[in-house]
Amino acid sequence: MTRRRPRTPAPPLPQRDGIDPVHVKMPAEGDWRTVRDHLTERLSAHAETIDAMIEAGRIVTADGTPIGPETPYTPGGHVWFHRDLPAEPPVPFPIEIVHRDDHLVIADKPHFLATTPRGSHIRETALARLRRDLGLPGLGPAHRLDRLTAGLVLFVVRPEDRGRYQTLFRDRLVRKEYEAIAPYDPAVELPVTVRSRIEKERGVLAAQEIPGGEPNAESDIRLVEARGPLGRYRLTPHTGRTHQLRVHMNRLGLPILGDPIYPEIAPLTAPDDFRRPLQLLARTLEFRDPVSGRELRFTSGRELAAWTSYEDWAGGAGPAAPGTDQ
């Protein structure tokens, strides 16, 4: 008989600016005398910061009661609090809503906006913005889109439905097409299906193709149109490895314009250069809705700037030669 994992209690604190409170569960075993002792050892915040939060009543137990400096450690207990978040540079582009009903929100995400809070991007994320703007605190993503990639993302309105939509992506039942602008090289034979093994280590910017490894990534790549030294490409991924399309285009010698990682990692700049976004767009999503049973197809209304106005996108630098991003 499989033992069910105990469910985490509902957070006693509301979201703040679209962000959930931080949840900490006490280990079942430990010799800490107080909750404060455990938190000062476990968390990266200084003891003075934790003491100030306790004094202000900002750390609470499952019933919403603020802990005190002498609240005893309880094995398996829970506490919640909101972090003090640093200021983030605003991403100056709106999220467009392609579709909304009682179950789904299909958002057309701009470049530079992360899908979910992570790392240094917390408030300036699609999830936080949509929760605030639409008044949907239970909204959650069914999948993720890279921060630098624009286009369609599926969000689920009710937490109890999220697993059904996430399963669509896990089982590859969602048909996705992307559009990219990259150098045009007539020597590259297209269309082509690229298969390889892609691995990405946590904390390492670039994913790596493993020569001779069992393929775990597959992409169909097709040229839609050529215009001088540039091409517009339709990319259809059949798997969902991190940076898969960017890696496969680079492998063909057609790195996507504006890519700061492939073929070479560009010097990190802060803030982002909003003038030259990565020229990759999640153009379409198509699937059978697991709740309604309807066949649905959605299309992004965004355009890739390097194709519609290359001079504006490149800042007057002139068209890039194949294999470069200058």
Side-chain angles (χ1 to χ4, degrees):
M1 181 177 177
T2 302
R3 177 178 293 180
R4 290 185 176 181
R5 297 177 61 184
R7 296 185 62 181
T8 301
L13 296 175
Q15 291 174 357
R16 179 185 293 173
D17 209 18
I19 307 300
D20 291 323
V22 176
H23 168 238
V24 177
K25 181 179 179 181
M26 309 293 151
E29 297 180 358
D31 57 0
W32 299 278
R33 187 178 67 84
T34 65
V35 175
R36 180 230 179 243
D37 292 341
H38 174 68
L39 294 179
T40 55
E41 180 176 320
R42 179 171 176 178
L43 303 181
S44 59
H46 295 297
E48 293 82 0
T49 300
I50 293 174
D51 288 338
M53 294 174 67
I54 292 174
E55 184 176 355
R58 292 174 52 191
I59 304 177
V60 304
T61 58
D63 63 359
T65 302
I67 70 167
E70 295 298 319
T71 298
Y73 178 84
T74 303
H78 305 261
V79 295
W80 285 261
F81 58 90
H82 281 287
R83 291 183 290 170
D84 291 322
L85 300 175
E88 299 175 43
V91 176
F93 310 113
I95 304 176
E96 304 296 339
I97 303 301
V98 174
H99 173 82
R100 179 181 177 181
D101 60 30
D102 291 341
H103 304 284
L104 294 179
V105 172
I106 306 296
D108 202 347
K109 184 184 81 67
H111 296 284
F112 300 105
L113 193 68
T115 301
T116 57
R118 185 177 182 183
S120 60
H121 305 283
I122 307 297
R123 291 190 185 95
E124 283 297 303
T125 59
L127 179 61
R129 277 198 194 179
L130 291 171
R131 283 175 170 177
R132 297 192 303 261
D133 296 347
L134 302 180
L136 296 174
L139 194 70
H143 65 122
R144 295 183 183 182
L145 199 60
D146 285 349
R147 186 177 74 90
L148 298 184
T149 304
L152 300 183
V153 185
L154 190 159
F155 292 89
V156 185
V157 173
R158 305 191 309 172
E160 58 267 32
D161 291 337
R162 195 173 306 157
R164 302 174 72 177
Y165 289 96
Q166 289 174 330
T167 298
L168 293 178
F169 290 88
R170 184 198 67 192
D171 294 345
R172 303 177 188 174
L173 298 176
V174 179
R175 297 171 289 282
K176 297 180 284 184
E177 285 188 356
Y178 289 69
E179 186 174 305
I181 309 302
Y184 169 62
D185 185 349
V188 178
E189 295 187 8
L190 297 175
V192 66
T193 298
V194 181
R195 299 180 182 89
S196 67
R197 183 164 195 86
I198 296 177
E199 302 287 352
K200 188 176 185 302
E201 294 183 26
R202 188 177 181 86
V204 178
L205 288 177
Q208 300 293 328
E209 286 189 291
I210 308 302
E214 180 69 22
N216 63 358
E218 179 178 314
S219 309
D220 291 340
I221 298 173
R222 180 181 299 271
L223 177 68
V224 176
E225 184 180 359
R227 183 187 295 167
L230 298 180
R232 184 163 65 94
Y233 298 87
R234 181 179 300 123
L235 316 178
T236 307
H238 298 294
T239 53
R241 309 301 297 186
T242 300
H243 295 181
Q244 174 179 318
L245 296 175
R246 297 160 66 181
V247 169
H248 283 169
M249 287 292 284
N250 185 59
R251 176 183 177 181
L252 295 175
L254 306 172
I256 298 172
L257 267 64
D259 197 324
I261 297 178
Y262 310 97
E264 296 181 353
I265 298 176
L268 294 177
T269 59
D272 290 312
D273 184 354
F274 294 130
R275 299 168 301 174
R276 296 191 64 190
L278 174 72
Q279 295 298 280
L280 181 62
L281 173 68
R283 176 64 78 188
T284 66
L285 284 177
E286 189 174 357
F287 58 93
R288 180 184 292 275
D289 190 303
V291 175
S292 69
R294 294 182 300 159
E295 289 286 347
L296 301 176
R297 188 177 193 274
F298 303 104
T299 302
S300 169
R302 298 185 183 276
E303 299 295 338
L304 292 171
W307 192 253
T308 57
S309 179
Y310 182 86
E311 290 74 16
D312 290 343
W313 177 84
T324 71
D325 186 32
Q326 301 298 320

